[in-house]
Amino acid sequence: MSKKRRRNARKKHRHHSKKSAKSFNRSAKLLAIPAGLATAGISMPVHAQIEEIVVTATRRAESVQDIAVNISAVGGSQIEQQGFDDLSEMSSYVPGLNVVDQGGRDGNRIVVRGLNAEPIVNSFGQENGGGTVATYIGEIPLYVDLRLNDLERVEVLLGPQGTLYGAGTMGGAIRYIPKKPGFDNTTFEVRADAYSYSEGDGVSSDIGFTFNVPLSEQFAIRGSIDNTDDQGFIDYPFVVQTPGVSEPDPNFADAAERAGNFNPAEDVNTEEALSGRLALRWVPTDAIDTTLTYYFQQTEHGGRNVSGRRGTVPAGKYESPYRVLEPNDRDSDLLALEVIADLGFAELTSATGIGGVEESGQRDQTDLLITLEYSYEVFPTFTAFTFEDEETETFNQEIRLVSTSDGPLNWIVGGFYNTNEYDALSSEFTPGYGAFVGPGFRQDLNDLEYFEADRTKLTETAYFGEIGYDISEQWSVTFGVRLYDYEFDEANQTEFPYFTTPADFNPYPLSDIGNQLQLTRNQAFDGDLFKFNTSYTFENGNLFYFTFSQGYRVGASNGGDPCPDIFVPGSQSLCLLAPGQQFGPNPGDIAEINEREFFPDTVDNFEIGAKTTWLDGNLTVNGSVFFIDWEDPQVATASVNAGTAITVNAGAAETKGFDVAFNWLMSDEFALRGNFSFTDAELTQAVPSLVRTIAPPGFGTAFEDGVAGDRLPGSPETQFSLFGSYSHDLSGGNSIVVDGGYSWQDDVLSVTGARGNSLTLDSYGRASMNVSYLTESWSVTGYVDNLFDEYSESSVFNTPLFNQTVSGANVRYYRTNVLAPRSIGVRFKYTYE
């Protein structure tokens, strides 16, 4: 029996009778059902059952319960009902997925099954969500923290997927599936959301509009636009009035001194976001389906979601310790063309995408400079800040053929080409410091003390495919392969312009960086990856599978200049060392790791899983056990000179664990769903000179080895969630739905190595509840997020060892990113058809 016939047989087993449209609507409210199914008039049993979610993650339309890989999906109706705005809010629905939410200013870090060895705080730089998970918008790989508006569903695949997807998917893939323009009805939808934080003064809002218009039997258009105005909840009480003049560290207990030096700002971490898309769909024949879509997302952030309560200044839970404001703007867009052609024996898909991200921002740079102890710290009114400008341009082309025959043999073959060009400028200003140091500094540069320019270009090519065979009606096997290569080019310029001349250095804008810096080849690698999967489906429809799959991630340069061969004691340098190079005055001061570049890392993933259905289709229970062998993991550390953040290759690591999820329709009115996961991730080989440590007093640094058994950062060992939904019908066809949920995670390590350089973030749990009144055309929902007003720290930058005073200056490097306090709001939606 082919896979297609087995799916039909399972559907007959589950759906053996009809039910009314009223019962169907109630089930759609309770469960994660794609909106497309809810409007298709699909027949359902008399008693409510869990409806199958159809996904396309394996490049064929199949039920989640029929796919022999670890996949979770959350439908558009559930996203709307729960009020999920982004991936971090939705992640508690997916076992094994941890999204470290650091607020819109700093972005998210996505960690799957513990595959992370970097500090769980994003610094300013090319945003990729952590690098081990590929995110797809439709058919195009592009990392954007996408607003979850007007989506068919979100699909999350755990484990390497390189034989199914063009982009590298070492840890997994996340797919945002938008609703396509439809030909059935003209529809208009208006939605509005208003809410306030317990720690903020303003009322935030989110207003959106969606339309779908079939212009003919062959052409349709769909568009949506949403505007978010989040009023924030983080205060910046220590912003200096005039950098370089105002005292950043006065007597904090003296109200007059604080008033004379500070210009406090309240609710600074605001976010204004305008996002939307416009899609044109043309179906000239039954065999061709073409969709052209433009996506955009423009965000303005006032500051970070950061707390300095554990630092050296008297900051509260929702107060930043920093001396200057830290705004940031990020604009993303994508033009995507998807063409699907039915060739009879196979389906041909071509996906073309042109995307880009532009970002600019300002941040407090004072702490880095005073901890270097190069004399910045002796300037009594020293305050430094950095402007960052960057631009990323991407081009993607993927072509694949997917067999459509009903025989025992099925196959997928595809090709992928991608370019990613990244340009960035960093301009560091130290007001008043040049005059303090002495004569001869360049006054025409307006206190520009440091300037760095970076360019990179990554070019990837891959050929991938799978072939599957049904050995019997119940037993199937699949083999997959991926052949890949990439080239990485880079260029870097670093300047200390205070005492230069115009002939030596003149700053230039980002638009001219291509003329100033010429790219040179840094790396070129090629390789292959393999996959094997076998599954067995029992007569009752329950499925068990085993998967072996491999994944990889590209390497890159750490940027920066190479160090000179002869060490100069006391010199100020941001250079990077090569292995074996001397970095100090003693003969034993020899670099043991490569600071200049890092190379690809790979994983071998072994997994056993099950997809099971019970109680006549009212209960699904899915689970898996996994082991991942990680070779040459990319691990974050700091350079010997100036402590610059860099990435190096460790020897090896592993992660193992299990996850389980259930969905239970306990009655026609009440549904319960939940999940639990356990992950044990650690180094398995020692890494020389990995961990940078500080021995107070002072900031002289030493480096310790990372040792086997060191826990990896970024994900909890244990996490679980539980959600319940109750629906009650009223007269006239209306209904009331009550939803509640609770998610919890235990402690998280901040960086690799559980010693002086690391910090363990406390466990936390967060609850939510909402009550909705629904009619045929409109709905209104009152909700509370973070019901118990839990104070939750999601990530951390540095450790309490930085809580020192240098020449009277309080170091404020150590901070934590915090999640939002309790918010109370109301949502409204109106739909016209």
Side-chain angles (χ1 to χ4, degrees), residues 59 134-142 165-167 173-176 398:
R59 304 311 192 183
T135 55
Y136 272 74
I137 301 178
E139 295 290 343
I140 305 299
L142 179 69
Y165 291 85
I174 296 173
R175 304 179 70 220
Y176 300 98
E398 183 171 330

Side-chain angles (χ1 to χ4, degrees), residues 53-60 62-74 93-95 113 153-159 161 164-165 173-175 177 545 607 610-611 622-624 659 661 673:
I53 298 181
V54 176
V55 297
T56 56
T58 60
R59 304 311 192 183
R60 294 180 175 88
E62 297 181 277
S63 164
V64 168
Q65 293 300 107
D66 291 331
I67 300 176
V69 298
N70 195 316
I71 178 174
S72 299
V74 181
Y93 264 53
V94 181
R113 291 179 167 175
R153 63 190 176 275
V154 177
E155 302 175 0
V156 181
L157 293 92
L158 303 187
Q161 307 294 331
L164 279 173
Y165 291 85
I174 296 173
R175 304 179 70 220
I177 309 298
Y545 67 88
E607 179 177 340
K611 306 283 186 75
N622 300 336
S624 66
D659 54 70
R673 68 179 295 165

Side-chain angles (χ1 to χ4, degrees), residues 66-146:
D66 291 331
I67 300 176
V69 298
N70 195 316
I71 178 174
S72 299
V74 181
S77 61
Q78 190 72 9
I79 290 171
E80 290 184 8
Q81 182 64 27
Q82 297 297 329
F84 296 143
D85 291 323
D86 56 27
L87 185 65
S88 64
E89 295 182 1
M90 194 205 75
S91 62
S92 56
Y93 264 53
V94 181
L97 174 67
N98 185 48
V99 178
V100 182
D101 181 5
Q102 300 173 141
R105 169 65 169 79
D106 288 336
N108 295 330
R109 178 169 293 276
I110 305 171
V111 182
V112 169
R113 291 179 167 175
L115 283 175
N116 180 73
E118 299 178 1
I120 52 169
V121 63
N122 282 342
S123 58
F124 198 98
Q126 189 172 20
E127 186 62 66
N128 62 3
T132 63
V133 177
T135 55
Y136 272 74
I137 301 178
E139 295 290 343
I140 305 299
L142 179 69
Y143 178 78
V144 176
D145 187 16
L146 193 69

Side-chain angles (χ1 to χ4, degrees), residues 266-289:
E266 296 184 349
D267 300 337
V268 171
N269 65 322
T270 58
E271 180 175 6
E272 297 182 20
L274 181 67
S275 60
R277 67 184 175 95
L278 181 66
L280 308 176
R281 187 179 180 188
W282 181 43
V283 184
T285 69
D286 291 341
I288 298 177
D289 191 341

Side-chain angles (χ1 to χ4, degrees), residues 367-664:
D367 295 295
L368 172 65
L369 297 181
I370 62 178
T371 57
L372 295 176
E373 299 182 286
Y374 285 156
S375 79
Y376 301 101
E377 72 278 2
V378 299
F379 180 29
T381 58
F382 181 70
T383 295
F385 56 91
T386 296
F387 287 132
E388 307 277 7
D389 292 285
E390 63 177 15
E391 181 179 67
T392 303
E393 296 181 354
T394 63
F395 173 78
N396 295 276
Q397 177 63 58
E398 183 171 330
I399 297 177
R400 65 178 179 274
L401 274 173
V402 180
S403 66
T404 55
S405 61
D406 199 26
L409 183 69
N410 62 85
W411 48 267
I412 298 172
V413 62
F416 172 77
Y417 175 80
N418 169 72
T419 61
N420 181 302
E421 298 184 60
Y422 171 70
D423 298 337
L425 296 182
S426 178
S427 304
E428 182 179 283
F429 294 87
T430 54
Y433 179 71
F436 173 78
V437 172
F441 73 98
R442 287 185 58 181
Q443 300 183 40
D444 64 302
L445 293 177
N446 297 318
D447 298 305
L448 175 65
E449 186 266 354
Y450 172 79
F451 179 88
E452 181 179 7
D454 292 285
R455 295 188 67 204
T456 65
K457 181 179 180 180
L458 174 67
T459 303
E460 295 181 271
T461 305
Y463 304 95
F464 57 93
E466 293 187 356
I467 184 168
Y469 186 76
D470 295 332
I471 297 175
S472 68
E473 294 182 353
Q474 296 169 302
W475 182 19
S476 297
V477 295
T478 299
F479 298 91
V481 64
R482 176 189 181 91
L483 305 175
Y484 68 89
D485 66 74
Y486 77 86
E487 297 175 349
F488 182 81
D489 302 331
E490 58 115 12
N492 173 269
Q493 177 186 359
T494 301
E495 300 285 349
F496 294 91
Y498 251 146
F499 301 102
T500 64
T501 67
D504 295 329
F505 168 72
N506 278 304
Y508 48 85
L510 188 66
S511 59
D512 196 41
I513 192 173
N515 295 324
Q516 300 290 333
L517 295 179
Q518 300 302 311
L519 293 168
T520 60
R521 181 61 38 82
N522 176 264
Q523 289 185 11
F525 277 87
D526 59 69
D528 48 53
L529 304 172
F530 298 95
K531 172 184 176 179
F532 171 75
N533 173 275
T534 184
S535 63
Y536 189 87
T537 303
F538 290 87
E539 292 298 332
N540 61 1
N542 292 338
L543 179 150
F544 292 82
Y545 67 88
F546 166 79
T547 296
F548 166 76
S549 57
Q550 296 179 307
Y552 92 107
R553 175 173 49 172
V554 301
S557 168
N558 281 313
D561 295 327
C563 289
D565 293 332
I566 300 175
F567 175 76
V568 180
S571 62
Q572 179 177 354
S573 176
L574 298 182
C575 64
L576 301 179
L577 294 161
Q581 190 171 12
Q582 184 175 350
F583 62 83
N586 301 313
D589 296 336
I590 301 297
E592 297 185 72
I593 57 177
N594 188 351
E595 295 187 345
R596 297 184 185 178
E597 61 182 325
F598 54 96
F599 302 104
D601 50 353
T602 60
V603 296
D604 290 341
N605 173 69
F606 303 85
E607 179 177 340
I608 298 173
K611 306 283 186 75
T612 68
T613 304
W614 311 90
L615 303 179
D616 292 330
N618 288 328
L619 172 65
T620 63
V621 181
N622 300 336
S624 66
V625 179
F626 64 89
F627 172 82
I628 300 175
D629 184 21
W630 193 359
E631 291 294 323
D632 303 316
Q634 296 173 10
V635 182
T637 183
S639 65
V640 171
N641 293 292
T644 304
I646 59 173
T647 299
V648 300
N649 290 103
E654 68 179 27
T655 173
K656 54 186 179 293
F658 66 91
D659 54 70
V660 62
F662 75 90
N663 201 344
W664 186 9

Side-chain angles (χ1 to χ4, degrees), residues 343-355:
L343 305 181
F345 70 98
E347 182 178 86
L348 173 67
T349 299
S350 171
T352 308
I354 301 173

Side-chain angles (χ1 to χ4, degrees), residues 174-421:
I174 296 173
R175 304 179 70 220
Y176 300 98
I177 309 298
K179 294 180 181 177
K180 284 190 173 185
F183 298 99
D184 294 332
N185 298 303
T186 297
T187 61
F188 297 91
E189 177 184 292
V190 177
R191 49 190 174 273
D193 187 357
Y195 58 96
S196 63
Y197 296 110
S198 61
E199 297 291 332
D201 294 330
V203 176
S204 303
S205 63
D206 192 344
I207 300 173
F209 172 76
T210 296
F211 68 90
N212 183 90
V213 180
L215 302 178
S216 69
E217 294 182 354
Q218 298 176 323
F219 191 80
I221 183 171
R222 186 181 188 94
S224 67
I225 190 167
D226 286 83
N227 184 77
T228 299
D229 183 11
D230 192 295
Q231 295 293 301
F233 53 86
I234 295 291
D235 297 337
Y236 274 52
F238 308 113
V239 176
V240 297
Q241 293 181 3
T242 305
V245 176
S246 303
E247 172 59 63
D249 291 291
N251 181 356
F252 291 97
D254 189 322
E257 286 199 32
R258 292 183 62 154
N261 289 283
F262 296 147
N263 185 21
E266 296 184 349
D267 300 337
V268 171
N269 65 322
T270 58
E271 180 175 6
E272 297 182 20
L274 181 67
S275 60
R277 67 184 175 95
L278 181 66
L280 308 176
R281 187 179 180 188
W282 181 43
V283 184
T285 69
D286 291 341
I288 298 177
D289 191 341
T290 303
T291 305
L292 178 67
T293 309
Y294 176 70
Y295 304 84
F296 70 91
Q297 187 162 291
Q298 302 171 353
T299 57
E300 297 180 6
H301 306 97
R304 304 178 191 270
N305 290 22
V306 66
S307 171
R309 74 182 184 100
R310 301 189 191 185
T312 57
V313 293
K317 288 183 176 180
Y318 297 100
E319 291 182 340
S320 164
Y322 291 133
R323 308 159 188 81
V324 298
L325 295 176
E326 299 180 300
N328 178 264
D329 297 342
R330 184 183 301 123
D331 295 341
S332 307
D333 62 2
L334 172 65
L335 181 65
L337 175 63
E338 176 187 330
V339 180
I340 302 174
D342 185 353
L343 305 181
F345 70 98
E347 182 178 86
L348 173 67
T349 299
S350 171
T352 308
I354 301 173
V357 180
E358 295 183 3
E359 188 165 358
S360 61
Q362 173 181 295
R363 56 186 171 89
D364 189 338
Q365 188 74 328
T366 312
D367 295 295
L368 172 65
L369 297 181
I370 62 178
T371 57
L372 295 176
E373 299 182 286
Y374 285 156
S375 79
Y376 301 101
E377 72 278 2
V378 299
F379 180 29
T381 58
F382 181 70
T383 295
F385 56 91
T386 296
F387 287 132
E388 307 277 7
D389 292 285
E390 63 177 15
E391 181 179 67
T392 303
E393 296 181 354
T394 63
F395 173 78
N396 295 276
Q397 177 63 58
E398 183 171 330
I399 297 177
R400 65 178 179 274
L401 274 173
V402 180
S403 66
T404 55
S405 61
D406 199 26
L409 183 69
N410 62 85
W411 48 267
I412 298 172
V413 62
F416 172 77
Y417 175 80
N418 169 72
T419 61
N420 181 302
E421 298 184 60

